[in-house]
Amino acid sequence: MAAAVYRVRLHVHGVASHAGGRTSTPNAIGKAAEIITRLSAVELPSNSSPGFPPGKLTVTEIGGGQGYSVTPDLCSVNIDIRTTPDFDDAAAETLICRIVDDTDRRWPDTKPALIEHVQHWPPYAHPHSAPATALFAATAALGIDTAAKIAGPSNIGNYLAGLGIPVTAGSDVDKIGEHSTDKRIRTDTIPLVHAAYHCAVRDLLTSANTQTH
């Protein structure tokens, strides 16, 4: 069970010129900064779907310019949006397009920004699917305190769920500093988690073999 992801890359245009010239031209980085500022100020709708966290928009990468003496004519901006049943891909796309189109109108001497769709995975929740049931049974048998919840980070389960395959985000080892430069895990939690998955897979295979005979 996990929230979804919708990712785009903006290609924001300016007009190249010499930075020391008497006449200034529209700066792609300046235009991109305006888009980023407006996106950062957006308040995403609250979520009413049980267990799902609210949507989240994060600018994760900016690239543009070369050297000191050239006014940049292109700036790229990576945007990561975590979507939910109440704030889906269509809503995310509408939000991005509205702000980008409005900014384009405010910069009439530049080409319109290009929105490149990079990735979109749907949210999913299968608390009673066979994989989830098997994993809950395995963790309970091993004395692991596990409760059903919606995972904020998206995962390959989102892709599989979009294909109609029942999946679960599963249990995990204890970790600290997720996605930070010093991300690490507690190695002493690996054996128990491994045992839980081993038991769950064994039970699933046993059940599948029973149904086929």
Side-chain angles (χ1 to χ4, degrees):
M1 298 173 284
V5 65
Y6 176 82
R7 289 172 175 154
V8 299
R9 180 177 295 112
L10 304 182
H11 301 274
V12 183
H13 299 283
V15 178
S17 65
H18 197 294
R22 293 181 179 275
T23 304
S24 296
T25 57
N27 189 317
I29 293 178
K31 182 178 178 181
E34 182 174 321
I35 292 175
I36 292 168
T37 299
R38 298 185 65 182
L39 287 173
S40 300
V42 169
E43 184 174 343
L44 299 183
S46 57
N47 187 61
S48 62
S49 300
F52 278 91
K56 184 179 181 182
L57 185 154
T58 308
V59 174
T60 57
E61 185 176 356
I62 303 171
Q66 51 183 346
Y68 284 93
S69 61
V70 180
T71 299
D73 60 354
L74 182 64
C75 181
S76 63
V77 181
N78 287 4
I79 302 172
D80 178 283
I81 303 179
R82 301 306 163 118
T83 57
T84 68
D86 288 346
F87 181 68
D88 58 11
D89 289 355
E93 181 178 11
T94 297
L95 170 64
I96 296 293
C97 289
R98 175 174 58 81
I99 290 179
V100 169
D101 290 347
D102 186 62
T103 305
D104 281 336
R105 286 191 290 270
R106 293 164 57 86
W107 291 68
D109 296 328
T110 64
K111 293 191 299 183
L114 172 66
I115 303 175
E116 176 189 356
H117 294 85
V118 177
Q119 183 183 50
H120 58 93
W121 285 347
Y124 73 94
H126 299 304
H128 305 298
S129 67
T133 300
L135 191 55
F136 281 134
T139 54
L142 292 168
I144 304 175
D145 186 14
T146 304
K149 65 178 181 179
I150 304 296
S154 59
N155 54 75
I156 192 63
N158 294 89
Y159 171 73
L160 296 173
L163 298 177
I165 301 173
V167 291
T168 176
S171 183
D172 202 355
V173 297
D174 289 349
K175 51 189 176 292
I176 304 170
E178 187 172 10
H179 280 322
S180 66
T181 54
D182 61 346
K183 177 179 178 179
R184 54 205 185 277
I185 66 171
R186 286 187 50 188
T187 56
D188 61 331
T189 64
I190 295 176
L192 201 55
V193 172
H194 178 271
Y197 278 103
H198 177 84
C199 292
V201 171
R202 182 194 60 197
D203 292 345
L204 284 170
L205 291 176
T206 301
S207 176
N209 288 331
T210 301
Q211 293 175 7
T212 57
H213 286 83

